[in-house]
Amino acid sequence: MSSRKKPARGTAKPVPKKRTSRPAPKRAAKPAAPRSGAYADFMVQAYAMENDARDRYTEFADQMEVHNNTAVAQLFRKLARIEGLHATRIVREMGWRKPPAAAEAWMWRQSEAPESVPPGELHYLMQPWHALELALACEQRAVRFFTGISGSTAPADVKRIAREMAAEEREHVQLIREWMKKVEKPDPGWDRDPDPSLYSE
Amino acid sequence: MNAPAQAAQLTPQKFKSDVKPVWCPGCGDYTVLSSITKALAALAVRPENVAVVSGIGCSSRIPAYTTCYGFHGVHGRALAAATGLKVARPDLTVIAAGGDGDGYSIGGNHFLHACRRNVDLTYIVMDNRVYGMTKGQPSPTTEPDWDSKLSPQGTGLREFHPLVIALASGANFIARATSSDPNGTAELIVQAVRHPGFSFIEVLSPCVTFRPEQRTWKDRVHPAPVAPTDDPGRAARRLMTDDGFNIGVLYAGHRKPYRTEQSATPSSVAELEAEFIL
Ligand SMILES: Cc1ncc(C[n+]2csc(CCOP(=O)(O)OP(=O)(O)O)c2C)c(N)n1
Ligand code: SF4
């Protein structure tokens, strides 16, 4: 097992705040037109997606903490908190008293939840820029996911909310791009370890 | 079968302990842990009715990271302990887990006989084709030409094919999973636990530290293009053309598990002692 303790570099700069509580979306203000059953199903899925992303970022933050890469750990913790807030917002907007049981049991049949970083992408020497790069790819996948639904044959209310969500995810893409400009871009060879774990004579 | 008592469904999180894994970031074993907890939640079992039994190795640390009963045993002996436990306590859901070194090297003989005995338990091997914990020695599944400091120019030894061995030895359920697909792996674990008899899942689980090239496995895996079979001959023919990256259930047989009837647990020490009197 390798559990090398290396502080991450290039982390001190302040980063722009990714908005965690957006202005109340238009959809919340609209008088409730009768919603299709598919709408509730879709929101359960959206909730599950945010939750999944939060859990994955939390796991990653734990991994980085164990390996003393505190800068990246903090960044993942922050991203987890943001995804958690999104999940809570869905609960509030849907008027659920507690998260729906169906969401807890949700399994993404075909693949991973679009907004979750694929497992196995971490490196113990990774830097905040890498973490943001992973987050950026997630937000881009989420844009594609919601755009796909907004252009599908789903009921009109589902398509409308999917369009709004796609727009929000596009905003996140922009925010993360801004954030990436503020952190140091890793040098080539960032993963070179002067004291490698491989046995050598 | 490993019939789990139906109960109110818990979330996967409830099966995760507070102990933080010390695996390397990017190690496939994180996913396997997550798949096990998802599967247990989907099976609607309770942690106190599940035992996770392991040997020694990075992967074998897994019991500590769950809230189930755990036994982090002796190198290569996960299946011996798990078999004993299941026979003594058939009411428990028993999952044995470990690495390719643990299961196919020092534990290889136990593997053959566990398949042969067909006791109703599930064996998950996190195969990274290397000994991770002891810093990168070749294992029985290592490619013969894997050139490393510890095996210059490779071992030159033909690798062991776990699925072929499992089939030939009588395992009742055989599947291959990948740590790049946590939910797919969870589904396979659910099927394995539900299937009566000895269920074996080989999980391709990269060791990113000693075999960083395994990070590309996620691009090489693909769903097996055929449905599972209950015909061992057909399964064997499929394995002849297996590229090592087919994911899914290979074989689900109908062999009767060992001692399916509930064996009475001795209610007193005297009763237990009586069992040992010749
Ligand atoms: C009886 C005994 N022999 C040897 C060892 C040393 N040892 C510890 S773990 C291990 C191999 C681990 O490889 P694997 O099972 O593939 O697990 P991984 O670490 O790759 O997950 C060995 C040989 C031991 N602990 N006990
Ligand atoms: S050494 Fe390999 S098997 Fe062990 S934790 Fe690290 S990546 Fe995983």
Side-chain angles (χ1 to χ4, degrees), chain B residues 29 56-60 75 99-103 106 128 130-134:
Chain B
D29 298 350
I56 298 291
C58 297
S59 42
S60 291
H75 194 31
D100 42 299
D102 192 76
I106 191 167
N128 52 20
V130 75
Y131 292 180
M133 179 169 261
T134 48

Side-chain angles (χ1 to χ4, degrees), chain A residues 1-4 52 55-56 59 62-67 104-113 118-124 196-201, chain B residues 9 11-13 16 20-26 30-31 34 38-39 42 58 61 132-135 149-150 179-183 186-187 209-210 215 218:
Chain A
M1 277 269 316
S2 159
S3 59
R4 213 157 284 285
D52 211 88
D55 288 352
R56 187 62 55 80
E59 269 173 32
D62 290 344
Q63 293 181 29
M64 286 298 153
E65 240 158 48
V66 166
H67 289 269
E104 295 287 3
W106 187 274
M107 274 214 192
W108 293 83
R109 299 274 150 179
Q110 302 305 319
S111 59
E112 283 278 283
E121 295 293 318
L122 304 197
H123 191 285
Y124 65 104
S197 39
L198 272 173
Y199 168 84
S200 54
E201 306 82 344
Chain B
Q9 196 166 346
T11 62
Q13 216 54 39
K16 278 196 180 155
K20 299 280 175 251
V22 294
W23 292 313
C24 309
Y30 282 104
T31 298
S34 159
K38 283 180 179 181
C58 297
R61 289 174 175 274
M133 179 169 261
T134 48
K135 298 178 84 54
K149 293 230 164 71
L150 294 174
S179 68
S180 56
D181 179 9
N183 295 330
E187 285 218 27
T209 297
F210 296 107
R215 281 190 189 264
K218 63 177 184 306

